[in-house]
Amino acid sequence: MKLRVLIISTLYSPNSHGGAELSVQRLAESLADVGMAVTVVCMHRERRISYAILNGVRVVYLPLTNLYWPYGKRNFATTIAKPVWHVLNLVNPRMHRLIMRVVRSERPHVVNTQMLTLFGITFLPALAALGIPVVQTLHDYHFVCANGHLVKRGKPCQSRCVSCRFLRWPKRLAGRCISAVVGVSRHILELHRKNGFFLDAECHHVRNSVLPAQPVCVSTLAEHPLRLGYLGRIEPVKGLEPLLRDVLALSPGPTLRVAGSSGDAAYLAMLKRRYDSERITFMGWSAPRDLFKQIDYLVVPSIWPEVAPLVIIEAYAHGVPVIASRIGGLPELVIEGETGHLYGPESDSDSGSGAFASAFSLLKPRLRDPKHQLKLRETCLRFSRTFHPRIATARYASLLYRHSIHALHQAREVSRFRKSV
């Protein structure tokens, strides 16, 4: 009998928003490849339920039941409706009925919850009442933060706001219904447990995966200025503006190629206007390999506590070293002096302004050393093999099988006890 796995995640192909959704898709397809019957429940902006089969995975797209779609530019109406949106994001009877309808139809042995924005949390106790184990994967801060990112008004949170404290206690109660928790970084596991979540659940660390890639060609550093690259969403908390400012402050300085898109056209236009220079190129959306073959180092300048950005291990798979800010889960991915370098901010509340320029001035002799760069590239390629999808798939498969068997055993024991009574 095939193990029936139900994965619940806010977005899924073709509506992916970032690296977390790509990781969910890779996991779902890998579990299907090893013989599991995998169904993914996700959201879309349509008003009806729709279905699809994508690479062996059954996908159920549920309609939006909250006041507005959170992925996009906000306006005055969404700002006014925000408090009600957050309540419905916690307790949404209509969404609860839709999820349980899918559960009754698919009859999963085990449920893997990923990103839970728009789904609410009331279905978690309902699954526990049915004896269905839940394995939660942590990609963001949904349980401890109202917006899931520890960011408010475009800046990293320095303290827990009233709304987060108010919404946290029901999430903590619902979290008790979760059997096991998987963190894509140790940082996010420790932060949740520090805030009183999942204290009775099994905790596991399973890193995101990336497919092997063909290394990009190495160019001679003496032939050109040092070439840096940025790849990702263009928004304030990503730290791109402090990076642009620092790059232009360096003289002579490196070039910087910026690849990515922004949901805020005005913000992107401002960056292009303010940092107009022949040393800075805005490429728009670009496939990772198209950027990696044009740079010597990838820079991840985040000023918010990133969990485990996929772009770093994608760079490693292409043999590109990484320079990243020392924040959140980034120090777990960047091994100082071996796969790249880390620089300030030293804390999650630091703005990061000037940190890159200071670090670059100190690191420049090493960064321009061909032997050092070759050493970094070789280590990156070796390290990238530890992120192969089959490793994460094996760990998830073992975890899902074990919890489904344990739940089945418990159900049989309860049944025997009732018969004896």
Side-chain angles (χ1 to χ4, degrees), residues 90-250:
L90 197 67
V91 180
N92 190 327
R94 186 182 171 196
M95 179 54 63
H96 177 94
R97 289 194 296 270
L98 287 173
I99 293 176
M100 298 313 296
R101 174 179 165 183
V102 175
V103 169
R104 288 191 295 270
S105 172
E106 301 298 324
R107 296 183 297 114
H109 296 114
V110 61
V111 171
N112 174 218
T113 47
Q114 301 265 346
M115 283 76 69
L116 294 180
T117 302
L118 297 175
F119 284 115
I121 59 172
T122 57
F123 72 92
L124 292 172
L127 292 176
L130 292 173
I132 301 174
V134 177
V135 176
Q136 169 70 50
T137 300
L138 297 174
H139 293 275
D140 58 19
Y141 304 101
H142 172 81
F143 283 92
V144 297
C145 177
N147 63 30
H149 300 290
L150 295 181
V151 172
K152 191 170 186 178
R153 298 186 182 93
K155 296 182 180 180
C157 296
Q158 298 186 29
S159 61
R160 298 294 176 264
C161 59
V162 174
S163 59
C164 288
R165 292 176 181 175
F166 174 75
L167 297 173
R168 188 182 303 174
W169 68 265
K171 292 180 181 179
R172 188 178 289 145
L173 290 175
R176 293 178 181 176
C177 302
I178 291 172
S179 305
V181 179
V182 176
V184 296
S185 71
R186 291 187 177 88
H187 159 77
I188 197 169
L189 278 174
E190 292 169 0
L191 185 143
H192 278 80
R193 290 180 65 83
K194 181 180 177 181
N195 282 273
F197 286 89
F198 316 123
L199 299 180
D200 298 324
E202 285 186 18
C203 288
H204 302 267
H205 172 221
V206 182
R207 297 183 299 198
N208 288 327
S209 61
V210 66
L211 296 170
Q214 185 68 28
V216 293
C217 296
V218 181
S219 59
T220 304
L221 287 171
E223 295 176 353
H224 52 71
L226 201 63
R227 304 173 304 171
L228 305 178
Y230 170 89
L231 177 62
R233 294 195 305 276
I234 297 176
E235 52 190 31
V237 295
K238 288 292 188 176
L240 178 58
E241 188 171 6
L243 175 63
L244 292 168
R245 189 184 308 123
D246 286 1
V247 166
L248 291 185
L250 294 165

Side-chain angles (χ1 to χ4, degrees), residues 7 71 79 92 109 172 228 233 286 314 317 320 336 340 348 364 394:
I7 297 177
Y71 306 107
T79 301
N92 190 327
H109 296 114
R172 188 178 289 145
L228 305 178
R233 294 195 305 276
S286 177
E314 286 180 332
V320 177
E336 175 63 41
D348 289 359
K364 187 175 180 180

Side-chain angles (χ1 to χ4, degrees), residues 43-55:
M43 301 292 299
H44 67 167
R45 301 184 72 171
E46 305 299 325
R47 294 186 177 183
R48 59 184 179 84
I49 300 176
S50 62
Y51 304 87
I53 302 293
L54 301 178
N55 299 323

